[in-house]
Amino acid sequence: MTKTAAILGGGVIGGGWAARFLLMGWDVRVFDPDPEAERKINEVLTNARRSLPGLSDSAMPEEGALSFHDDLAEAVAPADWIQESVPERLEIKHKVFADVQAACRMDAIIGSSTSGFKPSELQEGAQRPEQIVVTHPFNPVYLLPLIELVPSPANDASFVQRAKDVLTSIGCFPLHVRKEIDAHIADRFLEAVWREALWLIKDGIATTEEIDEAIRMGFGLRWAQMGLFETYRIAGGEAGMKHFIEQFGPCLSWPWTKLMDVPELTDELVDTIASQSDAQSGMHSIRELERIRDTNLVAMLRALKAQDYGAGAVLNRSEPAKPALGDTSAPIVTVHRAVPLDWTDYNGHMNEARYLQAFGDATDRFMEMIGCDADYIASGGSYFTVETHIRHLDETHAGTRIRVETQVLQGQGKKMHLFHRMFDGDRLLSTGEHMLIHVSLETRRAAEPSADIAKTLSAIAAAHASLPRPEGAGAAVGVR
Ligand SMILES: NC(=O)c1ccc[n+]([C@@H]2O[C@H](COP(=O)([O-])OP(=O)(O)OC[C@H]3O[C@@H](n4cnc5c(N)ncnc54)[C@H](O)[C@@H]3O)[C@@H](O)[C@H]2O)c1
């Protein structure tokens, strides 16, 4: 059943939430008094459509419906989840919660994106404090899984669990902050780093660019996959964490850092930072920088996904199911997914090698469907591809939902001859023809498949024999 989210405040953060809910199949109702909000949200959505769906190796649900409302009560009335992302001012947030609670469902969850306020502060004066909780996201909300979920004693355990379940279902990683504190966990940490960076600039030690290089060329990469303590555990070598603390702990009281103090943000310091930042990044517009950021994040997240580690493990947990073997009287859907950003080339369309990857994935999925799965391969049999012919018929771009339909042209004995057609809706994008031979992994020579596989494959081949022979099957190179 389609779920409904109300998004209150459609700025940087509200737009990101709207995109995540929408692309996860929820209907989204936006309320924001700014007449520019619709344009801004649509721009965020364009970036999100380009980057998020391709993180999955199977198609995400169909997008929900997006609507904009002039009236807050109308926006929140049917919502299961209400996400507040209005400016960071307590009196504005209190007013919004009062209006929301006068109109929303009693069982709706009201999450606040606040970067700094404690949930008990947000709940002050509320009609039903137990319905409001902090759900603090990170920009871009549609790509980064972390949500700091901060309840107060007013929220009961079943409410917190329900909030966790919803966040998990939209691909997030809810980090339950057990004790409320100003600025939660991550922002305290970021602020400590930022404070130190401001000192380095003020004291003329480093420019904005040098500070960024110090992060992204080194420890930023470590942090992205392991965080702080797992990284330091390795730094301690075989002696481990205790040794690390003994070695570096005393430095904390040396004058290495000025973390306890805050530099005064004089006009001079602000101008220095702003002009250094212009020199470093002023050649890109903010939208360009967002696209660069998203492309980098997608590549890193997909790399972590392949390792099933950190944020990549979260992606794997929310991976939609792969297509199942359904009606065998028609070509079989073996791949259904969005084209990921890292599959595109300098022309902005899918790189040739990725067509082979998509058709290779289709063959792998078909092999699983007929029983040639990981267990069977471990037992010593598999199919090897001996010939491939791919025709590129139309352009395919990042974010396009591709569907590969597989027809069996031959499936007797050791031979398996497959014809894959890749579509975007009804548009034929490409075809891939594969000849495979079943082999014994022991002798590395052609061998008969197991009786079960032979039976399943020949039944599909017999059913497909009555389908028209696909246009282009068996064509030589250059023949269209
Ligand atoms: N920017 C970040 O990186 C970031 C990260 C995490 C959390 N947050 C938090 O998210 C919240 C929103 O921040 P932002 O950066 O998106 O701000 P923003 O200024 O980009 O967006 C705020 C939006 O709220 C709208 N608004 C103002 N009053 C409203 C009202 N009464 N009802 C509905 N909409 C209203 C504004 O028109 C604007 O579009 C803040 O609480 C902030 O602390 C921000």
Side-chain angles (χ1 to χ4, degrees):
M1 202 183 74
T2 306
K3 300 260 184 182
T4 302
I7 301 296
L8 309 178
V12 175
I13 293 303
W17 275 109
R20 183 179 274 281
F21 276 112
L22 205 62
L23 293 174
M24 290 290 172
W26 286 51
D27 286 345
V28 170
R29 301 162 74 85
V30 179
F31 170 74
D32 188 320
D34 179 1
E36 290 289 293
E38 184 163 350
R39 174 188 62 80
K40 288 190 199 159
I41 288 205
N42 277 312
E43 284 180 13
V44 175
L45 253 177
T46 304
N47 279 353
R49 286 193 185 108
R50 174 178 169 267
S51 53
L52 174 66
L55 280 179
S56 291
D57 292 312
S58 296
M60 290 186 4
E62 292 289 337
E63 264 185 43
L66 175 64
S67 56
F68 293 86
H69 303 265
D70 294 333
D71 180 37
L72 179 145
E74 181 190 287
V76 302
D80 302 276
W81 185 284
I82 297 156
Q83 185 65 34
E84 171 276 307
S85 311
V86 304
E88 187 75 348
R89 299 228 319 262
L90 199 51
E91 75 281 7
I92 303 185
K93 299 208 187 257
H94 280 159
K95 168 84 175 67
V96 167
F97 293 137
D99 293 347
V100 168
Q101 292 200 313
C104 75
R105 280 172 23 200
M106 306 283 270
D107 65 342
I109 295 174
I110 306 174
S112 171
S113 300
T114 180
S115 303
F117 295 119
K118 296 194 283 266
S120 58
E121 291 173 293
L122 299 175
Q123 292 162 349
E124 266 163 27
Q127 202 182 325
R128 295 183 296 279
E130 67 279 9
Q131 201 180 10
I132 301 168
V133 69
V134 169
T135 46
H136 176 233
F138 293 79
N139 195 24
V141 184
Y142 51 84
L143 288 182
L144 298 185
L146 180 61
I147 304 293
E148 289 179 310
L149 176 68
V150 200
S152 82
N155 305 109
D156 72 27
S158 67
F159 174 88
V160 173
Q161 188 54 49
R162 219 155 41 87
K164 278 186 191 171
D165 292 345
V166 171
L167 292 168
T168 306
S169 76
I170 57 166
C172 293
F173 180 85
L175 179 68
H176 184 166
V177 179
R178 282 173 287 114
K179 214 167 174 178
E180 62 171 357
I181 183 174
D182 294 309
H184 328 310
I185 297 174
D187 277 359
R188 296 179 75 92
F189 200 46
L190 289 177
E191 221 173 87
V193 176
W194 193 47
R195 207 154 47 210
E196 192 61 21
L198 292 176
W199 276 117
L200 290 169
I201 295 172
K202 182 181 162 54
D203 292 348
I205 311 287
T207 62
T208 56
E209 185 161 8
E210 286 158 357
I211 286 167
D212 287 351
E213 303 295 25
I215 296 171
R216 67 189 187 141
M217 296 298 162
F219 69 83
L221 291 169
R222 291 194 317 217
W223 280 5
Q225 44 89 47
M226 282 194 165
L228 185 66
F229 283 102
E230 202 163 40
T231 299
Y232 281 174
R233 185 183 179 81
I234 299 173
E238 288 187 8
M241 182 59 84
K242 224 166 154 186
H243 172 66
F244 180 82
I245 296 176
E246 277 162 12
Q247 197 180 356
F248 293 106
C251 308
L252 294 175
S253 50
W254 299 351
W256 269 25
T257 60
K258 296 189 178 183
L259 290 180
M260 308 313 287
D261 205 357
V262 183
E264 195 189 337
L265 290 171
T266 58
D267 288 349
E268 195 192 345
L269 179 56
V270 173
D271 285 347
T272 305
I273 294 170
S275 62
Q276 288 183 358
S277 171
D278 287 348
Q280 179 187 352
S281 322
M283 66 297 265
H284 301 296
S285 71
I286 294 298
R287 290 283 174 243
E288 271 166 9
L289 283 172
E290 283 175 350
R291 280 193 290 275
I292 293 168
R293 174 202 65 193
D294 288 0
T295 306
N296 292 340
L297 283 174
V298 166
M300 283 167 29
L301 285 165
R302 284 181 54 77
L304 289 172
K305 187 166 183 257
Q307 304 308 316
D308 199 26
Y309 208 82
V314 177
L315 286 172
N316 281 333
R317 256 183 273 152
S318 53
E319 185 68 24
K322 290 204 173 115
L325 180 62
D327 172 15
T328 54
S329 66
I332 294 158
V333 176
T334 42
V335 166
H336 191 201
R337 62 162 307 142
V339 173
L341 273 175
D342 56 339
W343 282 19
T344 53
D345 65 11
Y346 43 84
N347 292 320
H349 57 215
M350 194 156 99
N351 176 300
E352 293 98 303
R354 301 305 187 168
Y355 285 85
L356 179 56
Q357 177 160 351
F359 289 131
D361 289 348
T363 296
D364 282 350
R365 183 69 192 136
F366 185 75
M367 281 166 53
E368 279 172 359
M369 285 170 167
I370 60 170
C372 185
D373 54 14
D375 286 347
Y376 179 80
I377 292 167
S379 79
S382 188
Y383 283 93
F384 283 3
T385 308
V386 292
E387 207 171 322
T388 294
H389 181 196
I390 292 175
R391 297 184 310 154
H392 304 272
L393 305 175
D394 207 341
E395 287 192 48
T396 311
H397 298 99
T400 303
R401 268 165 97 102
I402 55 171
R403 186 181 76 257
V404 177
E405 295 183 2
T406 299
Q407 185 168 338
V408 179
L409 298 182
Q410 190 186 353
Q412 262 73 44
K414 300 167 198 160
K415 282 192 178 171
M416 179 161 79
H417 186 177
L418 302 179
F419 194 84
H420 302 298
R421 274 177 285 206
M422 184 190 295
F423 293 96
D424 165 19
D426 294 336
R427 195 164 63 98
L428 182 62
L429 304 169
S430 176
T431 65
E433 190 168 350
H434 284 172
M435 179 61 85
L436 297 105
I437 301 291
H438 189 274
V439 292
S440 152
L441 293 173
E442 203 180 312
T443 64
R444 317 301 284 184
R445 289 178 189 285
E448 293 292 329
S450 74
D452 283 350
I453 288 180
K455 192 168 153 221
T456 311
L457 178 60
S458 62
I460 299 174
H464 284 191
S466 56
L467 294 171
R469 190 170 169 81
E471 186 277 319
V477 171
V479 176
R480 285 252 155 149

